[in-house]
Amino acid sequence: MSAETEREDLSDRGAPSRLRGEELKFVGMPIGGIGCGQLYLGGDGRLWHWDVDNRTAPANINDLHFTRPPLPSSPFEHGFAVRVTDGDGERARWLDARGFPGVTFAGRPPAAEVDYADPGEPVRIALNACSPFVPTEIDDSSYPAVFLDYTATNTGTTTAEVEVAGFLANPVCLTSRHTRPLRLHSRELDGAPGVQFTATEGAAENPARADLVLEDWEKPDYAGWLVTGDAFGSGPVRTLDRPDYQGEAGAFGMRMADSHASAPGDDAGARDRATGTLRSEPFRIERNYLRFRISGGNYPGTCCLNVVVDGAVVGTTTGSFSDQLADRVLYLGPWKGEDAVIEIIDAETGPWGHVGVDQLRLTDHAPAQPPLPELPDHGSVALAVLGADRARVCPATETFESPSDVFAPTPGSSTVDGLTERGAGVVTAGVTLRPGEQRTIRFVLAWYFPVPDREGLAFLEHGRELLRHYASRFGSAQDVVAHLAREQERLLGATRAWTRAWYEDSTLPHWFLERVATNTTILSTSTCYRFADGRFYGWEGAYCCAGTCTHVWHYAHALARLFPAVERDTRERVDLGIGFHAATGQLSMRGEADRSPAVDGQAGTILRIYREHQMSPDSEWLQRVWPRTRQAVEYLIGSDAEPDGILDGAQPNTQDATWFGRNSWLSGLYVAALRAAGAMAREVGDDAFALRCAELAASGAEVIVRDLFNGEYFVHELDPAHPGSVNTNRGCFADQLLGQSWAAQLGLPRVLPPGPTRSALRSIWRHNFVPRPMEYRKHSPIDGGRIFYDNDVPALVMCTWPNGGGDEAGNNWSTSYFNEAWHGIEYQVAAHLITEGMVGEGLAIARSVHDRYGPLRRNPYNEIECSDHYARSMASFGVYLSALGFEHHGPNGHLGFAPKIRAEEFAAAFATAEGWGRYRQTRTESERTSTLELHHGRLDLRSLRLDAIGTAARATLDDAPVDVRVSADESGPLLRFPETCTINAGQRLRINL
C-alpha cells in the first residue's frame, strides 16, 4: 500500500469500533461525572477501577501502565445478572463474559454500549452506560453517578419476562475498616427502589496495654523469618546503604527490610526484577492493631504485607509508589487470641516491583485518626432502579455466588461487622416483553465521598477544608439518586444529542472521533477535581505532579472548548489569582504548589487567556482580568533583554530543565503570546500596548527565521555562558513550531512565515516520525527515556539528530525525554500539519497514537505520560478543531469553518461560548450550502467565515430570510450579518453561496 493510499484510508468514514474476545482484556472506559473520581466500564460490562472514594495517594508511576497495563479488578464484590422466563423455561446468567462469552463492547465516549449477544437466546440484552455529559453545562456533567440502561429486545415468538438484578457489597470505608472498628449498614432507599450503603463507628476493647514489638529489624539477619527468593538479601539492609535514588527512608532505626536495596543487580530495573518473600513465625494476636511502616509499589496481592490467620488473609496493605516509609495500621480486633503470621511479598518484576517494611508491633494505641465523617473513604453509595414495570429490593443478603442466588436472595442482617461479616444488597427490576417488543430497565449507581484526600492535597489553599463539588449540592448518595430521578430525561436527552452530533451525524472518520473523545474522559478520572468552592484542579496525570501545571495544561484544549466557564474561572482564580506574583506579573507554574516560573507555561497561559476570552459570550471577563494579564505579558517581555522579540537568559520549561540560548520553541511561544496580548489590548482600548506587542512580535519572527532557520528546520543556538545546559542544538525538535501551532488555534496573525514553517513541519515528519521507534532508540545518541511506544507502530520522537549533536544535548537526566514520544506534543504537531495543508501526515500521526492504544496492547481509554490519563493528551481536541478549520470569537459574534477532510460533503459537531450543535456543508458543482444546527444553548452571530464565499449569499433561519452581506477582513472573505443573527436551540441557519 502506498503512503498516499494509507493517508487516504485514514480520512475514510470507516465503521465504529466494536471490540470482542481478547480485545476486551484491558478495556476500562472512564464512565463517571467530571471531577467525581474514577470508575471504569470494562469490556464485558463489569465496573472496575473503583477510585471514587479518595483512597489513592499521590504517586508518580510514569510509564508503568503503558508497559504493564493493569487487568480489571475490584476491591469488593458486585455484578449484574439477567433472568429470562418464556415458553422455553427459565434462564439466569451473569451479565458479563461469564454468562455471555460473545459479549462485545462499543466505546463512544462519554457513553458505551455492551452487547450481550447470544444467537441461541431470543431475548437480546444490551447495556448503554454513561454519566450525563452536556457541553457548556458543567454542573449537568459533574454527577457522582452512572446510568446503566439495560435494553431487552424480544426476538422470539412468545411473551418473555425479563429481569435484571444488580448486587453490591458495601463499598464504604474500604480502607478505614482495616484501621478501626466499623459497622457497615445497608437499607432501602426512600423514593425509589434501591439500596444505600453507609458505615458507622464500631467499638474496640482498649485496655491500653503496652506495645509488643514483633520485629524491629535491628539485626544482621532474618532470624525468626522464613526467606525465599533473593529480593530481600541475607538480612535487613542498613538504611544508609540504600541506593541514593531511593531517598531518605524514614526508618525508626538503622535497618529495615527492603526488597529493592537488598536485591542483586547494578541498576533499578535489575533490582526490581528480583522476587522473594519473608514469612514470620506464628504469633498470638494480643492487641487490637498491628502498626508498622511500609514503602514501595502499590500492587495488592503481589507486592504487599499480609496478616494471615488460618490460611486466610485478614489484613493487607501496600506501599504507594514511594520509597519513603509511611505509617500504617491494620485492625485485628476480631481475631484477638488467634495465631497469625505476617507475609511480606515481592512477586513483582517491573517498575516499583519492591516493598520495604520497618518496625512491626502489636498495639492497643492506634494512630490518631480523624472523626469518621472526615475520612476520605467515608460516605455512601446507592444502587437504584429508575425505570421498569416492577422492582424489588433485598437490602442485605449473604447469598450472591450465582445468578440464581441474586434472583432469590436470602435476607440477612442490614448491619454487619466491617471485617468479619460478608453481605450485599440486591436490587431487581423486571419488564414483560411481547414478541418484537423492546424495553429498557434503567439502573443508576451513585456515590457520595465528599472529603478528598486532604493529606495528598494539603498544598492547596484551604487544603484542610476541601470538599468535592458535589458536596455543595447533595448530602448523600440517596440525594443524588433522587435528583437524577427527576432530571433523568433532560440530562440523558442532552447527552444523547451530543453523542449523536459527535458520532452519527458527523462525516469525520470514526477512529478519529473516538480517539479525540477518549481524551475528554480524562476529565472524569482521578486526574481532575472540582471542589465545593467551584475551583477546578488537575494533576498532570492521575495523582502525579501537582498544581494544574501551566506548562502541561496549556496543551490541553478540550476543557476550554467544551466547558469554557471552567477554564475562565481557573485563569482568574488560579493563574491570575492564587498563583499570581503581584510585584512582577510572574505566574506560578503550579499555583500555590510551586510558585516558580515556567516560561512556556507563562506564554501558554497568556494564549489561554485569549482563548478563554474568545470562548466568552461578551468582553466583561477580559475587561476584568486585563490588568493582571498585561502584567503577565510585561513579565515575559522582561525576559527579553534587548528587547527584540527573543527570550534571553534562563528558560525553565516542561522538559523539566532550565534551557538557555535562543530557540524557536520558547521564543516562538513568546511571539505567539505577544500576538494574543496585542489582540486583547486592542479590544480593551490599550492601543499603545497593542502597538508595542505587535512591534516586538514582528521583530521576534524576523530574528527566529534569520538566525535559527537552517534552511530545513529551526535549531537551538547555545548560550556559551551555560555549558552543559539541556539543549537541542542541531537536532530536529518536535515542538519547535509550538507558537505557530497555538496561533493557528486562535486565528492570530502568523508567528512564522509559511515557507520556513512548512519546511520545518516536513522535517519533523521526515526525521521524527519514526517507523520503528524501539529500534531507533537502540541507536539513539541519547540514553534512556520512558516507553510510550511499541516497535511496530510509528511514533513522533521528541528530538532526533539528522545533523548530529545528540552527544552535545547537555548534562542532565531530562535529556532522556528526547527519546520519548509525548502524545500531547504528537497531537499538537498533527493539528499544525492539518492546518498547514498536510492533512495526510497529520492524520497519520494522530492515528499512530490511536494504534498504540489498540485493545490488544493496552487500555484504549488511558493515554499515559507521567501517569495515567495524562492531561496533555487533551491536545487531541486541537486536532479536531484543525480538521474543522474552526474559528470562534464569542464577544465579536464570529464563527468560521474551513473543513480539511472531505470538504465536499462535510458534517461535524461544534461548541461555542454558549451552545453547541452541528455544522454541515455541501460543495459540489450544483450546490454550495452551509448549515448551522444548534442543539443546545444559543449563538449570537455577526460574522461567518466559510471556505467558499463567492460574490453573493442568501441566508434563512428556520426558512425565514436573514440579511447577510459578503465582506472581507485581513484574513479573507466572510459573511456579515448587519443585525445580529441569534440562533437558539432547535433552530437552523442555512446559507446558500
Side-chain angles (χ1 to χ4, degrees):
M1 178 184 290
S2 70
E4 213 170 280
T5 305
E6 273 187 341
R7 289 197 292 271
E8 183 69 20
D9 287 344
L10 294 182
S11 69
D12 284 346
R13 174 72 166 146
S17 67
R18 183 164 290 278
L19 310 181
R20 50 180 49 82
E22 281 297 304
E23 293 175 321
L24 306 178
K25 181 178 180 181
F26 300 121
V27 167
M29 194 183 100
I31 201 71
I34 293 173
C36 296
Q38 182 168 316
L39 177 63
Y40 281 169
L41 180 69
D44 68 350
R46 278 181 276 197
L47 298 168
W48 67 287
H49 203 303
W50 292 81
D51 190 16
V52 299
D53 55 351
N54 312 303
R55 289 176 295 117
T56 306
N60 182 342
I61 63 171
N62 284 298
D63 58 354
L64 176 65
H65 289 163
F66 190 93
T67 56
R68 299 185 62 195
L71 295 171
S73 64
S74 172
F76 57 91
E77 295 176 282
H78 69 281
F80 285 84
V82 61
R83 180 166 67 181
V84 176
T85 305
D86 57 15
D88 294 326
E90 181 180 288
R91 304 172 296 284
R93 49 176 141 174
W94 294 119
L95 279 166
D96 53 45
R98 293 172 297 173
F100 293 87
V103 62
T104 64
F105 181 92
R108 306 285 181 270
E113 180 185 281
V114 181
D115 189 352
Y116 301 97
D118 181 347
E121 174 56 66
V123 175
R124 295 198 58 164
I125 305 292
L127 165 66
N128 187 282
C130 73
S131 190
F133 187 90
V134 187
T136 71
E137 307 290 349
I138 186 62
D139 284 351
D140 283 350
S141 306
S142 302
Y143 290 102
V146 57
F147 285 103
L148 301 165
D149 283 4
Y150 291 93
T151 298
T153 305
N154 186 357
T155 66
T157 58
T158 60
T159 296
E161 301 292 335
V162 180
E163 291 179 297
V164 175
F167 81 92
L168 202 65
N170 192 323
V172 178
C173 291
L174 284 170
T175 295
S176 299
R177 67 180 66 170
H178 290 280
T179 65
R180 61 204 287 170
L182 293 174
R183 304 292 284 168
L184 306 181
H185 309 281
S186 56
R187 66 168 181 82
E188 289 195 49
L189 292 175
D190 299 326
V195 60
Q196 178 169 264
F197 302 93
T198 57
T200 59
E201 293 278 17
E205 181 186 337
N206 187 9
R209 296 164 294 185
D211 290 358
L212 300 175
V213 176
L214 297 179
E215 181 60 81
D216 62 8
W217 306 115
E218 300 300 315
K219 57 189 179 185
D221 57 33
Y222 288 118
W225 293 79
L226 175 66
V227 184
T228 67
D230 57 359
F232 290 96
S234 59
V237 67
R238 290 198 330 146
T239 56
L240 294 177
D241 294 336
R242 297 199 325 161
D244 289 343
Y245 56 77
Q246 283 192 279
E248 177 61 41
F252 282 116
M254 297 295 294
R255 294 177 183 268
M256 62 180 286
D258 187 327
S259 69
H260 186 86
S262 298
D266 296 327
D267 57 42
R271 290 173 184 261
D272 274 345
R273 283 192 290 275
T275 60
T277 64
L278 296 175
R279 184 179 175 90
S280 74
E281 293 180 342
F283 63 92
R284 183 68 49 84
I285 297 175
E286 298 180 272
R287 301 290 187 270
N288 284 309
Y289 303 95
L290 175 70
R291 191 170 181 178
F292 53 95
R293 311 199 95 195
I294 190 167
S295 62
N298 182 359
Y299 297 103
T302 57
C303 205
C304 56
L305 180 149
N306 294 333
V307 178
V308 181
V309 174
D310 290 335
V313 175
V314 299
T316 183
T317 193
T318 73
S320 56
F321 295 116
S322 171
D323 281 316
Q324 184 172 14
L325 290 160
D327 200 19
R328 294 286 184 268
V329 63
L330 292 174
Y331 176 57
L332 302 178
W335 297 279
K336 269 200 304 183
E338 299 192 41
D339 289 338
V341 297
I342 293 172
E343 297 176 333
I344 303 172
I345 299 172
D346 177 0
E348 286 291 331
T349 58
W352 286 104
H354 59 272
V355 61
V357 177
D358 187 38
Q359 199 173 81
L360 298 148
R361 54 196 169 112
L362 292 171
T363 181
D364 285 324
H365 309 280
Q369 297 189 60
L372 195 61
E374 295 182 19
L375 292 178
D377 64 348
H378 179 262
S380 55
V381 173
L383 179 65
V385 173
L386 297 186
D389 291 343
R390 54 194 177 275
R392 62 183 185 275
V393 177
C394 178
T397 181
E398 296 179 13
T399 55
F400 44 89
E401 277 73 26
S402 70
S404 298
D405 291 337
V406 172
F407 284 106
T410 301
S413 174
S414 60
T415 298
V416 297
D417 178 79
L419 284 178
T420 60
E421 296 177 279
R422 179 172 175 264
V426 182
V427 184
T428 304
V431 293
T432 301
L433 294 180
R434 296 185 298 273
E437 191 175 8
Q438 181 179 89
R439 299 282 302 281
T440 295
I441 297 171
R442 173 169 296 157
F443 285 83
V444 63
L445 172 72
W447 57 89
Y448 182 81
F449 295 97
V451 180
D453 175 17
R454 291 172 175 170
E455 182 177 342
L457 297 166
F459 51 81
L460 292 180
E461 189 175 75
H462 309 302
R464 294 300 178 185
E465 291 84 44
L466 288 176
L467 291 171
R468 288 195 179 268
H469 184 267
Y470 57 71
S472 68
R473 304 174 66 191
F474 308 111
S476 66
Q478 175 169 288
D479 288 353
V480 178
V481 170
H483 176 90
L484 292 176
R486 294 190 300 269
E487 301 291 332
Q488 57 182 310
E489 295 307 324
R490 177 182 67 84
L491 294 168
L492 292 177
T495 303
R496 284 191 291 265
W498 171 254
T499 55
R500 184 168 56 250
W502 184 266
Y503 295 106
E504 285 88 345
D505 294 345
S506 176
T507 60
L508 287 166
H510 278 287
W511 72 264
F512 179 71
L513 295 170
E514 291 173 18
R515 181 48 45 193
V516 173
T518 285
N519 289 322
T520 67
T521 68
I522 292 169
L523 301 172
S524 300
T525 70
S526 297
T527 299
C528 300
Y529 293 77
R530 289 189 74 209
F531 296 127
D533 63 357
R535 179 178 179 178
F536 176 86
Y537 171 80
W539 304 97
E540 290 184 21
Y543 299 114
C544 168
C545 305
T548 319
C549 172
T550 60
H551 62 70
V552 167
W553 274 83
H554 85 91
Y555 287 83
H557 290 293
L559 180 60
R561 297 298 187 175
L562 295 173
F563 300 97
V566 177
E567 287 280 42
R568 286 197 301 272
D569 181 77
T570 305
R571 297 293 81 71
E572 187 171 9
R573 182 196 300 258
V574 180
D575 300 317
L576 298 173
I578 294 167
F580 187 75
H581 296 244
T584 63
Q586 180 212 311
L587 308 178
S588 301
M589 75 160 81
R590 300 181 187 276
E592 65 271 59
D594 183 345
R595 296 184 62 81
S596 55
V599 68
D600 52 344
Q602 183 96 11
T605 298
I606 292 163
L607 288 156
R608 289 191 289 171
I609 291 168
Y610 184 49
R611 179 190 64 193
E612 272 56 286
H613 168 58
Q614 290 184 329
M615 291 295 292
S616 299
D618 54 47
S619 296
E620 179 183 332
W621 183 80
L622 178 61
Q623 294 284 349
R624 192 167 66 244
V625 302
W626 173 246
R628 286 194 164 188
T629 301
R630 174 173 168 161
Q631 215 181 333
V633 178
E634 289 171 333
Y635 174 86
L636 208 52
I637 294 172
S639 301
D640 177 1
E642 284 75 7
D644 60 354
I646 299 293
L647 294 172
D648 303 288
Q651 299 164 51
N653 60 69
T654 198
Q655 296 283 326
D656 290 334
T658 297
W659 289 20
F660 293 88
R662 302 192 300 175
N663 62 87
S664 66
W665 170 37
L666 298 172
S667 286
L669 266 176
Y670 169 41
V671 171
L674 289 169
R675 296 289 195 202
M680 289 185 280
R682 284 191 299 275
E683 291 196 43
V684 300
D686 194 346
D687 295 337
F689 192 67
L691 179 60
R692 183 184 180 202
C693 290
E695 290 173 346
L696 278 173
S699 172
E702 180 183 348
V703 174
I704 290 172
V705 176
R706 184 191 69 208
D707 294 350
L708 301 179
F709 186 64
N710 69 0
E712 185 185 0
Y713 56 85
F714 294 90
V715 296
H716 185 164
E717 182 185 87
L718 305 189
D719 182 347
H722 295 276
S725 62
V726 177
N727 66 88
T728 58
N729 59 80
R730 301 183 300 283
C732 186
F733 184 54
D735 242 0
Q736 62 184 272
L737 299 170
L738 179 57
Q740 178 57 52
S741 181
W742 242 119
Q745 289 286 318
L746 302 182
L748 289 166
R750 290 196 71 95
V751 168
L752 297 168
T757 296
R758 289 166 187 161
S759 173
L761 280 170
R762 286 191 291 270
S763 297
I764 294 169
W765 167 258
R766 182 165 61 253
H767 299 307
N768 297 56
F769 193 52
V770 177
R772 300 185 68 80
M774 293 299 289
E775 193 172 301
Y776 164 84
R777 177 183 284 243
K778 291 179 184 176
H779 306 289
S780 169
I782 300 294
D783 291 330
R786 297 163 298 180
I787 306 296
F788 302 119
Y789 41 64
D790 304 299
N791 196 43
D792 59 339
V793 177
L796 191 78
V797 174
M798 185 78 70
C799 191
T800 58
W801 314 91
N803 300 312
D807 55 347
E808 305 166 30
N811 304 318
N812 185 285
W813 63 269
S814 66
T815 60
S816 64
Y817 288 165
F818 293 153
N819 277 344
E820 298 178 359
W822 295 359
H823 308 323
I825 291 174
E826 293 182 277
Y827 285 132
Q828 81 81 6
V829 172
H832 196 186
L833 282 162
I834 291 171
T835 297
E836 299 283 357
M838 290 172 261
V839 177
E841 291 88 341
L843 289 177
I845 291 173
R847 180 57 183 258
S848 75
V849 182
H850 183 71
D851 288 347
R852 269 172 271 160
Y853 287 89
L856 293 175
R857 299 172 186 269
R858 51 192 59 88
N859 184 1
Y861 303 99
N862 177 18
E863 290 194 14
I864 297 163
E865 192 183 306
C866 199
S867 184
D868 292 355
H869 302 288
Y870 200 76
R872 201 185 326 251
S873 279
M874 285 188 283
S876 60
F877 209 88
V879 189
Y880 182 80
L881 298 178
S882 293
L884 271 63
F886 182 76
E887 303 174 11
H888 182 50
H889 193 300
N892 288 349
H894 176 72
L895 191 63
F897 298 91
K900 303 297 191 295
I901 299 174
R902 301 189 183 278
E904 63 278 5
E905 287 288 348
F906 179 85
F910 69 91
T912 64
E914 295 183 282
W916 48 266
R918 180 175 74 139
Y919 170 76
R920 55 190 174 94
Q921 70 174 43
T922 299
R923 301 289 187 265
T924 63
E925 290 186 9
S926 60
E927 182 181 346
R928 284 154 44 96
T929 59
S930 291
T931 304
L932 290 169
E933 301 166 350
L934 204 68
H935 298 327
H936 185 87
R938 61 178 282 161
L939 172 63
D940 291 331
L941 202 58
R942 291 191 285 277
S943 64
L944 178 64
R945 193 184 312 281
L946 301 173
D947 63 348
I949 296 176
T951 58
R954 289 182 294 108
T956 57
L957 180 62
D958 287 349
D959 299 324
V962 174
D963 189 12
V964 64
R965 313 283 173 81
V966 175
S967 181
D969 62 10
E970 63 275 7
S971 299
L974 77 165
L975 302 175
R976 292 193 186 276
F977 298 86
E979 299 290 332
T980 299
C981 178
T982 297
I983 312 172
N984 292 304
Q987 291 188 300
R988 180 179 67 180
L989 178 70
R990 180 180 173 89
I991 309 288
N992 286 277
L993 300 170

